[in-house]
Amino acid sequence: NAGVTQTPKFQVLKTGQSMTLQCAQDMNHNSMYWYRQDPGMGLRLIYYSASEGTTDKGEVPNGYNVSRLNKREFSLRLESAAPSQTSVYFCASSQRNTGELFFGEGSRLTVL
Amino acid sequence: AQSVTQLGSHVSVSEGALVLLRCNYSSSVPPYLFWYVQYPNQGLQLLLKYTTGATLVKGINGFEAEFKKSETSFHLTKPSAHMSDAAEYFCAVSSNSGGYQKVTFGIGTKLQVIP
């Protein structure tokens, strides 16, 4: 039962470097999400994909891009990392009409 | 717009004592309501959910929550705290927005259980 799988689990970047966080789900869910978690701020939505072929901005999209590669995979790209993007990133998926989210284990990113 | 307010970012209880974590929400349409739990260095997992029907919802690990529409609340309770309950708890509200479920989280409440 893999569920939602994120890679990498840890990453250290220098300011200005780029990287892509990968996410895959095996539950045949329509919707996928990227959140960031920061102390005292809960989870904030970066981007979401309501269904294959669509993506939309969430609450904090600046500095990020996403690709819904197919129904299973949803990647998050940082083109030019900044220290403010130091955070824990979570990918999640859901069936379109339930709202119940299934989370990956998170990717801890540090930008120096 | 929908929002979630969790009262108390840190709550401490003694082992065996009642656990009460407060959550109030606002939503312009009938919401779905959730509590998630996050153990250290892990992702969030569903504790319980309210969609329709019975307003008292039972979840895993002995937790339950009651949906009170008049008070716009969805407080989480457990009669007797266990050391393994120490974790961070997130309340969330979900409503349909343009064909998908928009989910908004509270800032979380860290529960400490004192032996």
Side-chain angles (χ1 to χ4, degrees), chain A residues 6-11 19 21 33-46 60 64 76 78 82-92 103-111, chain B residues 38-44 88 90 110:
Chain A
Q6 292 180 232
T7 56
K9 287 187 168 42
F10 300 94
Q11 184 72 49
M19 77 158 297
L21 300 177
Y33 310 78
W34 277 105
Y35 287 89
R36 60 178 288 173
Q37 183 180 25
D38 302 290
M41 304 192 76
L43 278 81
R44 293 181 292 168
L45 183 64
I46 305 171
V60 288
Y64 305 95
L76 178 72
L78 288 70
S84 61
Q85 294 177 304
T86 293
S87 188
V88 181
Y89 292 85
F90 287 98
C91 179
F103 285 87
E105 293 191 349
S107 299
R108 188 175 296 274
L109 176 64
T110 301
V111 183
Chain B
Q38 184 182 31
Y39 298 102
N41 300 314
Q42 295 186 24
L44 281 71
E88 190 159 18
F90 292 90
K110 283 190 177 177

Side-chain angles (χ1 to χ4, degrees), chain B residues 51-114:
Chain B
T51 53
T52 59
T55 56
L56 181 62
V57 180
K58 295 187 184 299
I60 61 173
N61 301 336
F63 285 93
E64 62 183 34
E66 185 171 11
F67 170 56
K68 291 187 176 180
K69 185 177 179 180
S70 61
E71 299 177 9
T72 61
S73 69
F74 191 56
H75 302 330
L76 181 70
T77 61
K78 181 174 180 178
S80 176
H82 192 274
M83 295 299 295
S84 60
D85 295 327
E88 190 159 18
Y89 294 80
F90 292 90
C91 182
V93 61
S94 170
S95 60
N96 192 281
S97 174
Y100 93 106
Q101 291 292 112
K102 179 179 179 180
V103 182
T104 302
F105 287 87
I107 64 170
T109 299
K110 283 190 177 177
L111 176 66
Q112 179 186 22
V113 182
I114 303 167

